[in-house]
mmCIF file of all heavy atoms in Angstrom:
data_model
loop_
_atom_site.group_PDB
_atom_site.id
_atom_site.type_symbol
_atom_site.label_atom_id
_atom_site.label_comp_id
_atom_site.label_asym_id
_atom_site.label_seq_id
_atom_site.Cartn_x
_atom_site.Cartn_y
_atom_site.Cartn_z
ATOM 1 N N LEU A 106 146.000 70.991 78.321
ATOM 2 C CA LEU A 106 146.843 70.052 77.595
ATOM 3 C C LEU A 106 148.135 69.772 78.357
ATOM 4 O O LEU A 106 148.565 68.617 78.474
ATOM 5 C CB LEU A 106 147.142 70.612 76.210
ATOM 6 C CG LEU A 106 147.554 69.649 75.125
ATOM 7 C CD1 LEU A 106 146.433 68.675 74.833
ATOM 8 C CD2 LEU A 106 147.900 70.402 73.875
ATOM 9 N N ALA A 109 147.557 67.505 81.240
ATOM 10 C CA ALA A 109 147.280 66.124 80.845
ATOM 11 C C ALA A 109 148.513 65.427 80.268
ATOM 12 O O ALA A 109 148.423 64.276 79.842
ATOM 13 C CB ALA A 109 146.151 66.105 79.821
ATOM 14 N N ARG A 110 149.639 66.065 80.308
ATOM 15 C CA ARG A 110 150.851 65.497 79.718
ATOM 16 C C ARG A 110 151.342 64.306 80.558
ATOM 17 O O ARG A 110 151.591 64.430 81.748
ATOM 18 C CB ARG A 110 151.940 66.557 79.635
ATOM 19 C CG ARG A 110 153.146 66.146 78.817
ATOM 20 C CD ARG A 110 154.159 67.269 78.740
ATOM 21 N NE ARG A 110 153.718 68.395 77.939
ATOM 22 C CZ ARG A 110 153.999 68.539 76.654
ATOM 23 N NH1 ARG A 110 154.691 67.635 76.015
ATOM 24 N NH2 ARG A 110 153.568 69.598 75.993
ATOM 25 N N THR A 111 151.446 63.166 79.918
ATOM 26 C CA THR A 111 151.987 61.941 80.528
ATOM 27 C C THR A 111 152.867 61.269 79.479
ATOM 28 O O THR A 111 152.845 61.652 78.303
ATOM 29 C CB THR A 111 150.852 60.973 80.936
ATOM 30 O OG1 THR A 111 150.165 60.544 79.768
ATOM 31 C CG2 THR A 111 149.884 61.615 81.926
ATOM 32 N N PRO A 112 153.611 60.253 79.866
ATOM 33 C CA PRO A 112 154.413 59.549 78.854
ATOM 34 C C PRO A 112 153.556 58.945 77.735
ATOM 35 O O PRO A 112 154.000 58.869 76.584
ATOM 36 C CB PRO A 112 155.111 58.441 79.655
ATOM 37 C CG PRO A 112 155.192 58.981 81.044
ATOM 38 C CD PRO A 112 153.950 59.803 81.230
ATOM 39 N N ASP A 113 152.313 58.549 78.063
ATOM 40 C CA ASP A 113 151.432 57.970 77.044
ATOM 41 C C ASP A 113 150.936 59.020 76.059
ATOM 42 O O ASP A 113 150.663 58.711 74.892
ATOM 43 C CB ASP A 113 150.216 57.308 77.714
ATOM 44 C CG ASP A 113 150.599 56.097 78.544
ATOM 45 O OD1 ASP A 113 151.626 55.468 78.229
ATOM 46 O OD2 ASP A 113 149.877 55.792 79.518
ATOM 47 N N THR A 114 150.802 60.260 76.508
ATOM 48 C CA THR A 114 150.241 61.311 75.660
ATOM 49 C C THR A 114 151.303 62.254 75.096
ATOM 50 O O THR A 114 150.962 63.193 74.378
ATOM 51 C CB THR A 114 149.214 62.134 76.465
ATOM 52 O OG1 THR A 114 149.882 62.762 77.562
ATOM 53 C CG2 THR A 114 148.089 61.258 76.956
ATOM 54 N N GLU A 115 152.548 62.016 75.432
ATOM 55 C CA GLU A 115 153.629 62.934 75.032
ATOM 56 C C GLU A 115 153.696 63.132 73.517
ATOM 57 O O GLU A 115 153.761 64.260 73.032
ATOM 58 C CB GLU A 115 154.970 62.398 75.559
ATOM 59 C CG GLU A 115 156.125 63.331 75.363
ATOM 60 C CD GLU A 115 156.104 64.511 76.323
ATOM 61 O OE1 GLU A 115 155.532 64.398 77.410
ATOM 62 O OE2 GLU A 115 156.657 65.552 75.945
ATOM 63 N N ALA A 116 153.662 62.054 72.764
ATOM 64 C CA ALA A 116 153.769 62.158 71.300
ATOM 65 C C ALA A 116 152.570 62.894 70.712
ATOM 66 O O ALA A 116 152.722 63.730 69.809
ATOM 67 C CB ALA A 116 153.885 60.769 70.684
ATOM 68 N N LEU A 117 151.407 62.617 71.242
ATOM 69 C CA LEU A 117 150.185 63.267 70.771
ATOM 70 C C LEU A 117 150.238 64.775 71.030
ATOM 71 O O LEU A 117 149.913 65.581 70.155
ATOM 72 C CB LEU A 117 148.974 62.643 71.480
ATOM 73 C CG LEU A 117 147.596 63.095 71.048
ATOM 74 C CD1 LEU A 117 147.337 62.740 69.596
ATOM 75 C CD2 LEU A 117 146.539 62.470 71.947
ATOM 76 N N ILE A 118 150.680 65.146 72.228
ATOM 77 C CA ILE A 118 150.771 66.569 72.580
ATOM 78 C C ILE A 118 151.845 67.262 71.751
ATOM 79 O O ILE A 118 151.641 68.381 71.267
ATOM 80 C CB ILE A 118 151.015 66.731 74.091
ATOM 81 C CG1 ILE A 118 149.769 66.274 74.859
ATOM 82 C CG2 ILE A 118 151.375 68.160 74.436
ATOM 83 C CD1 ILE A 118 149.935 66.238 76.360
ATOM 84 N N ASN A 119 152.979 66.618 71.563
ATOM 85 C CA ASN A 119 154.052 67.216 70.747
ATOM 86 C C ASN A 119 153.589 67.449 69.311
ATOM 87 O O ASN A 119 153.901 68.480 68.704
ATOM 88 C CB ASN A 119 155.299 66.350 70.765
ATOM 89 C CG ASN A 119 156.023 66.405 72.087
ATOM 90 O OD1 ASN A 119 155.829 67.325 72.887
ATOM 91 N ND2 ASN A 119 156.852 65.412 72.347
ATOM 92 N N ASP A 120 152.836 66.493 68.764
ATOM 93 C CA ASP A 120 152.307 66.660 67.416
ATOM 94 C C ASP A 120 151.332 67.837 67.367
ATOM 95 O O ASP A 120 151.351 68.631 66.419
ATOM 96 C CB ASP A 120 151.611 65.373 66.959
ATOM 97 C CG ASP A 120 151.154 65.453 65.519
ATOM 98 O OD1 ASP A 120 151.955 65.868 64.667
ATOM 99 O OD2 ASP A 120 149.976 65.123 65.261
ATOM 100 N N ALA A 121 150.506 67.957 68.372
ATOM 101 C CA ALA A 121 149.561 69.075 68.420
ATOM 102 C C ALA A 121 150.300 70.404 68.512
ATOM 103 O O ALA A 121 149.903 71.398 67.885
ATOM 104 C CB ALA A 121 148.615 68.914 69.608
ATOM 105 N N MET A 122 151.378 70.438 69.261
ATOM 106 C CA MET A 122 152.135 71.684 69.403
ATOM 107 C C MET A 122 152.811 72.061 68.081
ATOM 108 O O MET A 122 152.914 73.243 67.749
ATOM 109 C CB MET A 122 153.172 71.562 70.522
ATOM 110 C CG MET A 122 152.560 71.348 71.909
ATOM 111 S SD MET A 122 151.218 72.472 72.312
ATOM 112 C CE MET A 122 152.081 73.998 72.461
ATOM 113 N N LYS A 123 153.255 71.075 67.311
ATOM 114 C CA LYS A 123 153.811 71.364 65.989
ATOM 115 C C LYS A 123 152.751 71.981 65.085
ATOM 116 O O LYS A 123 153.013 72.941 64.358
ATOM 117 C CB LYS A 123 154.370 70.087 65.343
ATOM 118 C CG LYS A 123 155.654 69.595 65.953
ATOM 119 C CD LYS A 123 156.107 68.309 65.307
ATOM 120 C CE LYS A 123 157.305 67.728 66.021
ATOM 121 N NZ LYS A 123 157.686 66.410 65.482
ATOM 122 N N GLN A 124 151.552 71.412 65.130
ATOM 123 C CA GLN A 124 150.460 71.962 64.329
ATOM 124 C C GLN A 124 150.114 73.381 64.783
ATOM 125 O O GLN A 124 149.822 74.254 63.962
ATOM 126 C CB GLN A 124 149.232 71.067 64.431
ATOM 127 C CG GLN A 124 149.412 69.724 63.768
ATOM 128 C CD GLN A 124 148.213 68.809 63.971
ATOM 129 O OE1 GLN A 124 147.152 69.234 64.401
ATOM 130 N NE2 GLN A 124 148.401 67.537 63.658
ATOM 131 N N VAL A 166 142.569 66.979 70.688
ATOM 132 C CA VAL A 166 143.654 66.313 71.406
ATOM 133 C C VAL A 166 143.219 66.002 72.835
ATOM 134 O O VAL A 166 143.480 64.904 73.358
ATOM 135 C CB VAL A 166 144.935 67.185 71.395
ATOM 136 C CG1 VAL A 166 145.991 66.628 72.316
ATOM 137 C CG2 VAL A 166 145.480 67.271 69.974
ATOM 138 N N ILE A 170 142.981 62.357 74.518
ATOM 139 C CA ILE A 170 143.660 62.050 75.785
ATOM 140 C C ILE A 170 142.658 61.466 76.772
ATOM 141 O O ILE A 170 142.963 60.486 77.486
ATOM 142 C CB ILE A 170 144.352 63.312 76.346
ATOM 143 C CG1 ILE A 170 145.564 63.660 75.477
ATOM 144 C CG2 ILE A 170 144.766 63.116 77.794
ATOM 145 C CD1 ILE A 170 146.223 64.977 75.820
ATOM 146 N N ILE A 173 142.027 57.954 75.819
ATOM 147 C CA ILE A 173 143.164 57.107 76.195
ATOM 148 C C ILE A 173 143.090 56.775 77.686
ATOM 149 O O ILE A 173 143.275 55.617 78.091
ATOM 150 C CB ILE A 173 144.503 57.804 75.856
ATOM 151 C CG1 ILE A 173 144.697 57.851 74.343
ATOM 152 C CG2 ILE A 173 145.676 57.110 76.528
ATOM 153 C CD1 ILE A 173 145.869 58.687 73.890
#
Side-chain angles (χ1 to χ4, degrees):
L106 202 63
R110 190 178 290 266
T111 64
D113 294 333
T114 62
E115 187 74 26
L117 185 63
I118 292 174
N119 287 341
D120 185 48
M122 296 312 291
K123 287 178 187 175
Q124 292 176 13
V166 171
I170 289 173
I173 290 171

